[in-house]
Amino acid sequence: MNAPAKTDEFASAVPAGVFAEKVLSVTHYTDRLFRFTMTRPQGFRFRSGEFAMIGLMVDGKPLYRAYSIASPAWADELEFFSIKVPDGPLTSHLQNIKPGDEVLMRKKPTGTLVLDALTPGRRLYMFSTGTGIAPFASLIRDPETYEKFEEVILTHTTRDVAELKYGFDLVEEIRNDELLSEVVGDKLRHYATVTREDFPFKGRITDLIENGKLFSDLGVPALDITIDRGMICGSSAMLKDTKDLLEKAGLTEGANSKPAEFVIERAFVG
């Protein structure tokens, strides 16, 4: 049985202790990126920024990958933002889901990109590349983020301009939401860059941190351990390079068990 499966045969094959949830909407942004929403299981709780193991039945067996939950902890639906890998074991199937199909989800969310893993500060940087923006899609829509920080700077770097659209859509959704827009106010700043096309802001985020252009473009001081906090999600190379730059500025990596000045999500898919 290949994924995605229809409800009757799918339900009979769902492993014990796993949620089977219905796809509600699918939006394809490019030939590499798509967003989907699905029902939220009753009683399922998570902290904004965490990830879940999402899966499908592929050839009669459940196949899972880690996906950051892009919706905030208060939302009635679960949202995910995914790459499309033509020969990917899971994404080659997942990219074909349609409303009404069902998706597997393990019951325990986890992750390090949570507010609890950071020590108090005034400015929060969210450094993301590609679909690494997904956990921050959750956090920028959570009122707690703005209770803890005076300024939230979301950076999003992609190869092409078209791949930035999800991030711009998120910010627009916040501005158009009566309740969220009041909570967020002018605290959220969105800094989008591309590496392969002409755009007002161009370059790898690590280069822009290192040469200071990020800070001059935003009109803020360089990283300061006393007020700045960071979260990092993206490719493995980007994680390493950004981590090095934050440590060079004096910031220390934290975790759920030991909060500090920045955190990294290493389980991210894509």
Side-chain angles (χ1 to χ4, degrees), residues 167-184:
F168 283 112
D169 283 354
L170 288 172
V171 174
E172 189 66 19
E173 286 173 20
I174 291 171
R175 288 178 181 150
N176 291 331
D177 186 289
E178 186 176 352
L179 295 177
L180 264 183
S181 60
E182 186 174 333
V183 170
V184 175

Side-chain angles (χ1 to χ4, degrees), residues 35 46 48-50 68-75 79-81 113 126 128 130-143 145-146 152 154-156 166-171 173-174 180 188 231 233:
R35 168 192 201 176
F46 68 97
S48 294
E50 289 188 317
S68 292
I69 304 171
S71 45
W74 53 261
E79 177 185 322
F80 298 90
F81 185 49
L113 293 181
M126 299 175 174
S128 69
T131 51
I133 193 175
F136 304 139
S138 175
L139 284 158
I140 64 172
R141 290 182 281 183
D142 192 323
T145 303
Y146 304 96
V152 177
L154 170 65
T155 82
H156 187 208
Y166 177 68
F168 283 112
D169 283 354
L170 288 172
V171 174
E173 286 173 20
I174 291 171
L180 264 183
L188 176 63
M231 293 178 158
C233 193

Side-chain angles (χ1 to χ4, degrees), residues 32 157-161 163 193-199 201-204:
R32 294 185 68 249
T157 302
T158 62
R159 298 185 304 181
D160 307 315
V161 175
E163 296 176 340
T193 76
V194 296
T195 58
R196 292 190 180 181
E197 295 183 323
D198 287 332
F199 194 67
F201 300 106
K202 188 172 181 180
R204 298 181 186 279

Side-chain angles (χ1 to χ4, degrees), residues 57-71:
M57 298 297 295
V58 178
D59 295 327
K61 298 178 181 179
L63 180 63
Y64 299 95
R65 291 290 183 272
Y67 272 85
S68 292
I69 304 171
S71 45

Side-chain angles (χ1 to χ4, degrees), residues 4 6 20 24 36 44 61 88 110 114 119 134 140 142 185 189 202 209 218 223 237 240 247 252 260 263 268-269:
K6 295 304 177 183
L24 300 172
F36 68 94
F44 177 71
K61 298 178 181 179
T110 189
V114 293
T119 53
I140 64 172
D142 192 323
R189 304 184 67 183
K202 188 172 181 180
I209 295 171
L218 292 168
L223 292 169
K240 178 186 180 301
E247 289 181 336
T252 303
V263 286
F268 177 68
V269 71

Side-chain angles (χ1 to χ4, degrees), residues 8-100:
D8 292 344
E9 58 180 337
F10 189 97
S12 64
V14 172
V18 173
F19 295 120
E21 298 303 313
K22 187 170 292 187
V23 175
L24 300 172
S25 69
V26 183
T27 303
H28 293 274
Y29 283 93
T30 70
D31 59 359
R32 294 185 68 249
L33 300 169
F34 72 106
R35 168 192 201 176
F36 68 94
T37 62
M38 67 185 199
T39 52
R40 178 173 179 168
Q42 187 173 2
F44 177 71
R45 300 180 67 182
F46 68 97
R47 293 177 295 173
S48 294
E50 289 188 317
F51 68 87
M53 300 302 293
I54 294 295
L56 292 171
M57 298 297 295
V58 178
D59 295 327
K61 298 178 181 179
L63 180 63
Y64 299 95
R65 291 290 183 272
Y67 272 85
S68 292
I69 304 171
S71 45
W74 53 261
D76 294 332
E77 301 173 359
L78 297 180
E79 177 185 322
F80 298 90
F81 185 49
S82 177
I83 56 171
K84 304 176 187 179
V85 181
D87 55 353
L90 179 62
T91 57
S92 60
H93 299 287
L94 193 65
Q95 65 185 296
N96 296 318
I97 58 172
K98 299 177 179 63

